[in-house]
Amino acid sequence: MASKKIAFVASPHEEAQDAFSRLTHRYGNVDPADADAVVALGGDGLMLQTLHGQLGTDRPIFGMNRGSVGFLMNDYSEEDLPARIEAAEQTTIHPLRMRTEDEDGNLHEALAINEVSMLRETYQAAKLRISIDGKTRMEELVCDGLLVATPAGSTAYNLSAHGPILPLGAQLLALTPISAFRPRRWRGALLRHDACVRIDVLEPGKRPVSAVADHQEFRSVRCAHIEEAANISLHMLFDKDRNLDERIITEQFLP
């Protein structure tokens, strides 16, 4: 691995920038377009940004935690980094593709690695209709929002909304309500990974809703179509004792 080229990227925080300076001095640095692997220094937010930046390249990304949570990151160490990357296990994930139409008829498209969220924009609750694979499953959900999460994203916003944690190999998506008011006891659903989800906004003029794919937001949408982008693969590298499958299992047994 010593002969391979590494690109380093870092968040703007001081801790990440200090690590960037030390590692690039020690191992050199190339443009991500010329790299065999990208090392991301920061937290989960930077990892998501880096994954989005590498869409379509098949270039693996090895994250090291210089942020706060760091669920998607490996532990930070400056020693033997090329050998560590060479020995790492690769996890391949597929993002979600979101297509929306807003109140003016404009069409938007974005990819989400963690989740797609439908969120109310005002003090009034959103009213949503949910269809799966062309069949209406819920005529009206009154809520603060609704999200569709991938297994990789199931421990993020989805978990905070009391959604299920999904093992990577489960080939499922989590459909999770956010503060559901009616039906009050509905806790969401598990869907096949290849399900096509359509969410229609009821009363969009009175109860405006935003559609958010990870960090990309489109406001005042009328409907959203969400499905797995099976033709797009993203590759993350993890230390053998810290792979993503193990972390997802461990997260389910935390007190």
Side-chain angles (χ1 to χ4, degrees):
M1 183 68 197
S3 63
K4 292 192 176 181
K5 297 172 287 185
I6 303 174
F8 291 91
V9 295
S11 75
H13 298 297
E14 181 178 356
E15 192 175 14
Q17 289 296 313
D18 287 345
F20 178 85
S21 178
R22 292 193 299 271
L23 288 167
T24 54
H25 177 76
R26 182 168 182 174
Y27 296 109
N29 192 26
V30 301
D31 188 276
D34 299 320
D36 298 303
V38 176
V39 172
L41 305 168
D44 288 345
L46 179 75
M47 175 58 88
L48 288 177
Q49 291 177 24
T50 306
L51 286 166
H52 278 280
Q54 296 302 314
L55 284 168
T57 69
D58 283 335
R59 193 170 292 111
I61 301 168
F62 185 89
M64 287 201 290
N65 190 18
R66 294 285 83 185
S68 52
V69 178
F71 185 82
L72 298 175
M73 314 300 276
N74 296 286
D75 292 335
Y76 180 77
S77 174
E78 297 176 16
E79 301 302 317
D80 299 320
L81 183 57
R84 193 175 166 196
I85 294 173
E86 181 72 16
E89 294 182 349
Q90 181 170 286
T91 295
T92 299
I93 61 173
H94 303 288
L96 297 173
R97 177 176 285 109
M98 177 186 77
R99 298 185 178 93
T100 68
E101 180 180 352
D102 65 24
E103 286 227 79
D104 296 323
N106 298 312
L107 303 178
H108 306 280
E109 183 173 323
L111 295 172
I113 295 160
N114 269 1
E115 75 277 317
V116 169
S117 306
M118 305 289 285
L119 305 171
R120 68 182 175 98
E121 294 180 7
T122 68
Y123 65 92
Q124 288 191 302
K127 287 188 176 182
L128 308 173
R129 180 169 60 241
I130 304 170
S131 301
I132 310 296
D133 295 329
K135 182 175 183 178
T136 299
R137 293 294 183 177
M138 186 170 289
E139 286 287 353
E140 183 178 283
L141 171 66
V142 183
C143 58
D144 282 353
L146 179 69
L147 59 86
V148 181
T150 67
S154 66
T155 57
Y157 193 4
N158 173 72
L159 182 59
S160 297
H162 307 290
I165 295 176
L166 304 177
L168 283 179
Q171 295 196 330
L172 295 170
L173 301 175
L175 181 65
T176 303
I178 303 167
S179 300
F181 176 70
R182 189 181 301 118
R184 194 181 300 275
R185 291 184 174 83
W186 188 63
R187 293 293 181 260
L190 293 175
L191 308 176
R192 286 170 51 101
H193 71 102
D194 55 357
C196 181
V197 181
R198 177 186 171 110
I199 303 170
D200 289 285
V201 179
L202 309 179
E203 303 179 25
K206 181 181 179 182
R207 303 169 185 270
V209 170
S210 290
V212 185
D214 284 347
H215 56 268
Q216 194 167 358
E217 179 182 17
F218 303 103
R219 297 181 68 82
S220 300
V221 300
R222 287 185 174 275
C223 65
H225 298 261
I226 304 148
E227 58 187 340
E228 182 184 76
N231 62 322
I232 299 176
S233 297
L234 294 163
H235 310 293
M236 293 185 288
L237 299 174
F238 293 95
D239 293 324
K240 287 186 176 181
D241 60 343
R242 293 279 289 166
N243 66 67
L244 196 55
D245 277 314
E246 175 61 26
R247 293 185 202 195
I248 288 173
I249 293 172
T250 300
E251 190 76 19
Q252 297 177 77
F253 291 91
L254 293 179

